[in-house]
Amino acid sequence: MALEGKVALVTGAARGIGKALTEILLQNGAKVALLDVDKNAGQEAVSAFDEEFGAGRSVFCCCDVSSEVQFRDAFEKSTQLFGGLDIICNNAGIVNESDWEKAVAVNLNGVIRGTFLALELMKKENGGRGGVIVNIASMAGLGPHAVAPVYTASKHGVVGFSRAIAEASTVLGYGVRINVLCPGFVQTTIFASLEKDEALEKLRNQRGKLLESWGILEPSDVAKIFLRIVLDDSSRNGGVLVITSKGAEYINFPTAADVPAATL
Ligand SMILES: NC(=O)C1=CN([C@@H]2O[C@H](COP(=O)(O)OP(=O)(O)OC[C@H]3O[C@@H](n4cnc5c(N)ncnc54)[C@H](O)[C@@H]3O)[C@@H](O)[C@H]2O)C=CC1
Ligand SMILES: CC/C=C\C[C@H](O)[C@H](O)/C=C/C=C/C=C\C=C\C(=O)C/C=C\CCC(=O)O
């Protein structure tokens, strides 16, 4: 199996996209630590995975990624249990435009924290064995999503941070590849979270047009692209992929060479 003997850690793994990422990792032979703030859902997910893949292939650690203490503790517990770490997916995320500081704490700070914890363990200069970090942003990490401006900011932060730390990893020889996935709409509970939001009423049409052009994905669609990226060592470090119902492709960003010479 492609990931036989590999150890992975997925945040927000109890449901939705994170659960689908965990499932495809298990299907391909990896051992997976599931981290999630929802204890019941996390324990149910591991029980189901034990049934399907055999006991001992997955473990649940209750953890709020916005807490340094909880994340570090869950990280240490799971990597000690399985012996090291090869793959991490910082997936946990929320939409909360009213408690926007919480949204930033989870969506951006949580991803930064997970990336730094992984690099501490994985990077070659620390005696690590290298590995792959996949951070989950969103199409809202590439352009403004008017119904969710704070969510947009947090996801733009994930893209920018991931691209910068990937460049550092290349220059400093960490031996760690960092990629970003930017899905469009995916049928999960987060997608439903704004349906009842009165703020959306006035912007529903705009959101509807996006839905129309991009379609709506299933979590398993994102998982298939995720697996391809994890397995493809030729994937560009810092590569950012857009995923919609029409397919997936790398986004090309402007470079220093694109900056016009001062003409004003
Ligand atoms: N569903 C969609 O349309 C899209 C989702 N995304 C992103 O994909 C990721 C996963 O989202 P979904 O699976 O759709 O959402 P979901 O709501 O179905 O699952 C998110 C999981 O993260 C967990 N979680 C929430 N806060 C947490 C915290 N502080 N610490 C640890 N776990 C926490 C939840 O308990 C839940 O199990 C998020 O980062 C989201 O922003 C990106 C593009 C589109
Ligand atoms: C290469 C594409 C560049 C930019 C995209 C567009 O220009 C535009 O800016 C749109 C961005 C919109 C993103 C849309 C959906 C994102 C959804 C999620 O990440 C999570 C699901 C729901 C969030 C809120 C909601 O329910 O809409």
Side-chain angles (χ1 to χ4, degrees), residues 11-19 35-38 41 63-66 90-95 102 105-107 136-140 151 155 181-191 216 219:
T11 68
R15 64 170 62 82
I17 294 170
K19 190 174 179 184
L35 273 55
D36 202 296
V37 72
D38 186 333
C63 159
D64 178 342
V65 297
S66 66
N90 290 298
N91 162 76
I94 60 174
V95 175
K102 180 179 179 185
V106 174
N107 298 1
I136 306 295
S138 158
M139 288 286 259
Y151 180 82
K155 294 301 185 176
L181 299 186
C182 295
F185 296 100
V186 186
Q187 194 63 59
T188 67
T189 50
I190 203 174
F191 172 69
I216 186 151

Side-chain angles (χ1 to χ4, degrees), residues 1-232:
M1 296 253 247
L3 295 175
E4 200 68 50
K6 297 291 186 187
V7 177
L9 183 147
V10 179
T11 68
R15 64 170 62 82
I17 294 170
K19 190 174 179 184
L21 303 181
T22 301
E23 186 170 25
I24 206 164
L25 287 163
L26 290 166
Q27 283 167 343
N28 284 272
K31 288 182 178 171
V32 188
L34 291 74
L35 273 55
D36 202 296
V37 72
D38 186 333
K39 189 171 182 182
N40 292 337
Q43 286 171 337
E44 276 166 28
V46 165
S47 303
F49 287 141
D50 282 353
E51 282 288 306
E52 188 174 357
F53 300 104
R57 290 282 310 282
S58 61
V59 66
F60 173 68
C61 296
C62 194
C63 159
D64 178 342
V65 297
S66 66
S67 159
E68 173 73 23
V69 171
Q70 289 187 35
F71 206 164
R72 186 173 286 278
D73 185 48
F75 216 89
E76 280 164 8
K77 276 196 186 116
S78 41
T79 51
Q80 274 159 18
L81 175 73
F82 285 146
L85 182 68
D86 302 289
I87 303 156
I88 177 174
C89 183
N90 290 298
N91 162 76
I94 60 174
V95 175
N96 192 331
E97 295 294 311
S98 44
D99 188 350
W100 58 268
E101 288 178 296
K102 180 179 179 185
V104 173
V106 174
N107 298 1
L108 178 56
N109 301 4
V111 169
I112 293 171
R113 183 169 292 114
T115 301
F116 282 154
L117 284 169
L119 285 173
E120 240 178 77
L121 198 67
M122 286 172 161
K123 64 184 179 184
K124 298 230 164 120
E125 70 185 46
N126 285 3
R129 54 197 194 218
V132 182
I133 300 172
V134 180
N135 291 333
I136 306 295
S138 158
M139 288 286 259
L142 300 169
H145 190 24
V147 296
V150 173
Y151 180 82
T152 297
S154 70
K155 294 301 185 176
H156 272 67
V158 169
V159 172
F161 166 76
S162 304
R163 295 180 65 218
I165 199 78
E167 190 168 321
S169 178
T170 300
V171 169
L172 300 173
Y174 287 167
V176 179
R177 171 163 52 90
I178 297 112
N179 289 113
V180 188
L181 299 186
C182 295
F185 296 100
V186 186
Q187 194 63 59
T188 67
T189 50
I190 203 174
F191 172 69
S193 63
L194 268 186
E195 283 297 301
K196 48 195 177 301
D197 185 314
E198 59 272 12
L200 177 62
E201 267 324 299
K202 305 180 190 76
L203 293 160
R204 190 174 292 281
N205 289 343
Q206 190 172 3
R207 184 175 181 262
K209 284 186 201 120
L210 292 173
L211 257 171
E212 222 171 272
S213 54
W214 293 340
I216 186 151
L217 295 158
E218 287 301 322
S220 55
D221 299 320
V222 179
K224 287 179 192 129
I225 303 298
F226 166 77
L227 181 68
R228 249 176 49 199
I229 286 299
V230 165
L231 293 177
D232 178 6

